[in-house]
Amino acid sequence: METKIFDTAAEAALFTARMIADQVKSKPNSNLGVATGRTMDAIYHNLVKIAKTEKLDFSEVKAFAVDEYIGLNPDSPNSYKAYLELHLFNQLNFQAKNQFIPNVQIEDIDQACIDYENKLDEVGHIDLQLLGIGTNGHIGLNEPGSAIDSRTRIVGLTSATKNSNKSLFVDEKIPETAASIGIGTVLDSKKCLLIATGETKSEIIQRLVNGDVSSKLPASALKHHKNCLLILDKASAKLLQ
Ligand code: GLP
């Protein structure tokens, strides 16, 4: 896994946005794997700016969310669907038919997860997968213990994840479960960008970079990915030698 370290989080975000923009320029019908979370805010903000300035066309881009909480109101502002609409889909000319999120509003969510994997198979998998990392090493919502060959499925959230994300919730309790793409799903992507910024990520980044591949640290599976770039700022990289 190649690593790039920027002086600031803002520079890391701009670089990442540039990579997404270049991906869409070179392949207008790209399949993008889109993550959520605080780290992504600045990336999407920059991407929207670049896209508007350079008149990029997202009408043929297919976007696949990495995860979605289960049990929220269908129109909840706390869902990852709402996040992606706010920061990305409604800012650019994505077509509704090209926005994919595991459908957690139906009764048979297991089937929705299978359908999601089938759709990814049908489109030929993700060209560029964006990922953040949790302080416990999760990617998507693949918590510690997730198998390297896991696929899109219902997952339970750890207390660490609930504690870290609950402050983002308005008027609803953070759910106990979510649907998340699997580690195996991520490894099928053609290119992957893992982004971590800020000092709170420095410990997990040190363990990721210096440790072995282990299901105890789900992001470590990315070391098996053929084309994965780890994008850091100085704060998240501060414990690296
Ligand atoms: C969340 C999301 C992940 C995200 C990670 C880091 O739980 N489900 O997709 O990458 O945790 O989030 P943040 O960027 O807010 O630290």
Side-chain angles (χ1 to χ4, degrees):
M1 187 160 54
E2 196 195 326
T3 306
K4 249 183 173 337
I5 304 173
F6 293 87
D7 282 344
T8 64
E11 287 170 62
L14 184 57
F15 173 83
T16 309
R18 182 78 259 166
M19 288 203 73
I20 306 166
D22 288 347
Q23 170 69 37
V24 172
K25 267 188 184 170
S26 68
K27 187 180 175 203
N29 65 344
S30 287
N31 301 321
L32 295 182
V34 289
T36 52
R38 286 152 283 212
T39 313
M40 297 299 139
D41 291 357
I43 294 171
Y44 294 146
H45 181 75
N46 278 295
L47 177 62
V48 169
K49 256 177 42 192
I50 293 172
K52 287 190 173 157
T53 312
E54 299 177 16
K55 297 190 175 25
L56 289 188
D57 180 14
F58 282 75
S59 64
E60 296 307 320
V61 173
K62 290 188 179 64
F64 289 83
V66 296
D67 44 22
E68 182 57 289
Y69 291 114
I70 294 174
L72 297 175
N73 289 323
D75 56 355
S76 168
N78 303 310
S79 70
Y80 285 144
K81 178 174 183 282
Y83 177 97
L84 288 168
E85 284 171 354
L86 179 69
H87 293 274
L88 201 58
F89 298 154
N90 295 346
Q91 304 289 336
L92 297 168
N93 66 331
F94 280 94
Q95 293 194 67
K97 69 173 171 94
N98 291 336
Q99 301 167 17
F100 299 93
I101 298 172
N103 186 357
V104 295
Q105 295 300 336
I106 62 170
E107 202 169 310
D108 192 350
I109 298 174
D110 289 325
Q111 186 58 48
C113 293
I114 293 168
D115 293 345
Y116 205 64
E117 285 286 332
N118 288 341
K119 189 71 205 175
L120 283 163
D121 270 347
E122 185 192 311
V123 302
H125 300 285
I126 297 294
D127 292 300
L128 183 64
Q129 176 68 61
L130 282 177
L131 290 169
I133 183 169
T135 49
N136 65 355
H138 73 226
I139 48 173
L141 281 168
N142 290 282
E143 299 281 35
S146 297
I148 199 151
D149 59 354
S150 51
R151 313 301 308 192
T152 305
R153 68 207 185 287
I154 298 175
V155 294
L157 305 186
T158 60
S159 324
T161 297
K162 285 186 282 184
N163 285 335
S164 151
N165 289 2
K166 69 181 180 197
S167 61
L168 301 170
F169 272 68
V170 190
D171 294 338
E172 266 178 320
K173 225 178 133 248
I174 185 162
E176 298 291 325
T177 55
S180 175
I181 61 169
I183 304 284
T185 322
V186 170
L187 292 178
D188 282 343
S189 63
K190 290 170 195 148
K191 187 177 179 110
C192 180
L193 305 178
L194 177 64
I195 307 105
T197 54
E199 206 176 328
T200 53
K201 302 286 169 72
S202 58
E203 217 175 292
I204 197 67
I205 290 301
Q206 188 273 331
R207 282 178 52 208
L208 170 67
V209 172
N210 297 329
D212 294 330
V213 174
S214 159
S215 66
K216 288 186 186 146
L217 202 170
S220 66
L222 296 172
K223 291 182 171 189
H224 286 315
H225 195 287
K226 53 210 173 300
N227 191 357
C228 182
L229 178 61
L230 174 62
I231 299 170
L232 306 173
D233 65 348
K234 268 195 176 151
S236 62
K238 78 169 202 180
L239 301 178
L240 299 182
Q241 300 303 331

